[in-house]
Amino acid sequence: MSKSVNIRDLIADQRRVQRDRLRLAAAAGAVVSVAAVCLLGLSGWFLTGAALAGVAGAAAAHAFNYMMPSAIIRLLAILRTGARYIERVAGHDAALRALARLRPQLFDALARAPVERALSLSSGEMSSRLVQDVDAVQTLFVRRSAPWSLGAGLASSVALAALASPWTALALGVAVAVTCGGAFLIARTLSAPAGREVQAAIGALKDRLAALEAAAPELKAYGLDDWAAREVAEAGAALDRAQVRLTRAGGWLAAWSAFATALAVMAVVFTVQGASLPMIALALLAAVMAIESAAGLTGALHLNGRAVEALDRLDAALPSDSLSRGEAPHDARISLRALSLSLMPPLTPHLRLGLHGPSGAGKTSLIERLCGLREAILDEAVLGGVDIARIAPEARRNVFAYAAQDFRLLDASLRDNLLLAGPADDATLWTALEDAQLAERVRADPAGLDMAVGPNGERLSGGERRRLGLARALLRDAPWLVLDEPTEGLDADTEGRVLAALDQRLAARGQGLILISHRPAPMAVCDLQVRVDGMEADGRVRLAPELRPKAA
């Protein structure tokens, strides 16, 4: 069944999962605001009242009750500190838990998408989206309590101001509304575009760095180190400029907050006429804290542009239809429509097909479509009695164990790279390495199977990397083994031993083979050989009808 993936839906799901922690953070944030407003307001009233009592004389000073206000002030200070701690812990805990679940969901959606869509993003851009973009959306969890803090702070500030005068409470409410409206306009005009630009610039920088890092040996060989450094510097400068604009927008928000505080204080001064001095002090400090309560919302608005851009970038990376629909093959028989059935009946596992022909003729494209790594073409091939264009790519991939001509290795141990093929014990891993003629090299390393291969296998030679890819394909339990130039770059002796072991392994396991090679030695292990002459306008390959039996 088809199911569309949307990043906002995934985040909404995580909000539901983390709703208890988010509610706790919101409640704690509300307590923080109320406690802060009451603490400052009561402190102003208490200090002013105590000062007036002292001026009034000894009798007034003795009559002044300082025990109860001071106790309440201590209580409010403790409440504010404890609630702030709870808010931060609960909010960040919810955010981190949600992001920890969100990244695997995003990766799973990308992995299920058509391969050409996933591969349209470079490694640097993909890293940026799964790391920086996902990190940027954590503000949607951490700042979730901001409206509650603002509401609670505003309510308590207005309530305290009303003790001085109802007009003061009304003026304070209007001042807070003006503050929030101005902050929204500044954030929308300045912060949002700058935040979007920052997020896009981070992706561009990581993309450029990853591309240049991958080509580092060639850049050094051709003396292009300085050019590469300039390219990175330009991308970094673009990011710096965007961050400066975002910081400048934050400065405007801070300036507006200061102006709004002054505006609120003036509004209180003009409306509090006739109240006692302690009540005036209480109302003034309540006004200051009312504006301070809006700081969380202002911070959320400032970061909202980055979050929205991150959401849009993640949505652009996700497939619109993550779960492929299609039939399942009935068995592992293969028919290529370009070949007459009278010349070659459907291929069944146990047989070995060799594809050869000029470079660029479409050999790799054909097997990638067959294996579900490219979009299939209707009426090109049949798998298990079903046209491959009608079979879900993941169902096709289950039928093949593929060692590509150009493959990637994890920056991990050799064992970890082998286990990508599936669970296997050490004995099975060593058998695959023996068949790939790599066991001797691994045994020579003190770490054995736990030896590090480096980023994309840079600690191995080109031939060793290719044989590691072959060993990984040999470990996969599938009806067909598909090898693209498996002995390219190997010397004749090593090639002979690899092919002899491959011949024995295929015979013992009854596994079929589809092999691409320009070299005569690999083609000699095939039962049938087909020449790929080129591609038609619609992308289908042209197969020569001539079939040559396996060499004796």
Side-chain angles (χ1 to χ4, degrees), residues 500-511:
L502 176 63
D503 187 42
Q504 294 176 10
R505 186 183 183 98
L506 293 174
R509 294 167 59 92
Q511 191 176 30

Side-chain angles (χ1 to χ4, degrees), residues 115-372:
V115 175
E116 61 272 12
R117 184 181 182 92
L119 295 182
S120 65
L121 294 172
S122 68
S123 58
E125 184 69 12
M126 185 62 70
S127 171
S128 174
R129 299 199 189 201
L130 289 178
V131 180
Q132 276 76 23
D133 287 345
V134 173
D135 284 344
V137 303
Q138 74 173 308
T139 186
L140 302 177
F141 296 90
V142 174
R143 301 284 183 175
R144 191 74 173 170
S145 61
W148 296 93
S149 299
L150 172 61
L154 176 61
S156 54
S157 298
V158 169
L160 290 181
L163 297 176
S165 166
W167 291 108
T168 301
L170 177 62
L172 182 55
V174 172
V176 172
V178 170
T179 300
C180 293
F184 176 80
L185 289 175
I186 293 173
R188 185 173 182 179
T189 304
L190 300 177
S191 296
R196 284 179 170 271
E197 193 174 347
V198 165
Q199 209 61 26
I202 290 174
L205 176 59
K206 292 200 71 171
D207 181 38
R208 199 63 182 143
L209 278 171
L212 293 172
E213 187 275 336
E218 289 78 7
L219 293 173
K220 289 181 179 293
Y222 287 97
L224 294 174
D225 306 58
D226 293 340
W227 171 82
R230 287 195 299 272
E231 289 287 304
V232 174
E234 289 178 8
L239 174 59
D240 291 342
R241 289 192 295 270
Q243 289 176 327
V244 167
R245 283 190 281 273
L246 183 61
T247 302
R248 187 178 292 122
W252 280 108
L253 282 171
W256 170 251
S257 180
F259 174 77
T261 301
L263 180 67
V265 169
M266 287 189 294
V268 170
V269 169
F270 282 115
T271 58
V272 80
Q273 302 297 329
S276 63
L277 287 178
M279 297 307 297
I280 292 175
L282 182 148
L284 287 172
L285 293 176
V288 172
M289 290 310 299
I291 304 302
E292 182 66 23
S293 297
L297 182 62
T298 302
L301 291 172
H302 181 55
L303 297 175
N304 192 55
R306 290 192 64 180
V308 170
E309 177 67 15
L311 291 174
D312 290 343
R313 284 163 51 83
L314 289 170
D315 256 342
L318 289 174
S320 57
D321 189 1
S322 65
L323 299 181
S324 303
R325 294 179 292 180
E327 303 178 43
H330 305 302
D331 51 54
R333 292 176 302 156
I334 298 173
S335 296
L336 299 175
R337 293 285 177 82
L339 292 172
S340 170
L341 291 180
S342 62
L343 291 172
M344 190 179 75
L347 297 171
T348 58
H350 308 290
L351 290 176
R352 306 173 191 179
L353 173 66
L355 298 176
H356 65 98
S359 296
K363 303 181 295 296
T364 298
S365 298
L366 172 62
I367 64 170
E368 286 183 348
R369 289 195 290 270
L370 192 61
C371 294

Side-chain angles (χ1 to χ4, degrees), residues 9 83 89 141 231 261 379 405 487 507:
D9 292 338
V89 171
F141 296 90
E231 289 287 304
T261 301
D379 292 329
Q405 183 177 9
T487 61

Side-chain angles (χ1 to χ4, degrees), residues 514-530:
I514 300 176
L515 183 143
I516 294 177
S517 183
H518 293 90
R519 301 161 67 93
M523 299 301 292
V525 303
C526 298
D527 300 313
L528 301 169
Q529 297 180 27
V530 175

Side-chain angles (χ1 to χ4, degrees), residues 2-5 108-114 319-324 394:
S2 176
K3 182 180 179 182
S4 179
V5 176
D108 181 64
L110 289 167
R112 290 174 177 267
S320 57
D321 189 1
S322 65
L323 299 181
S324 303
E394 58 268 25

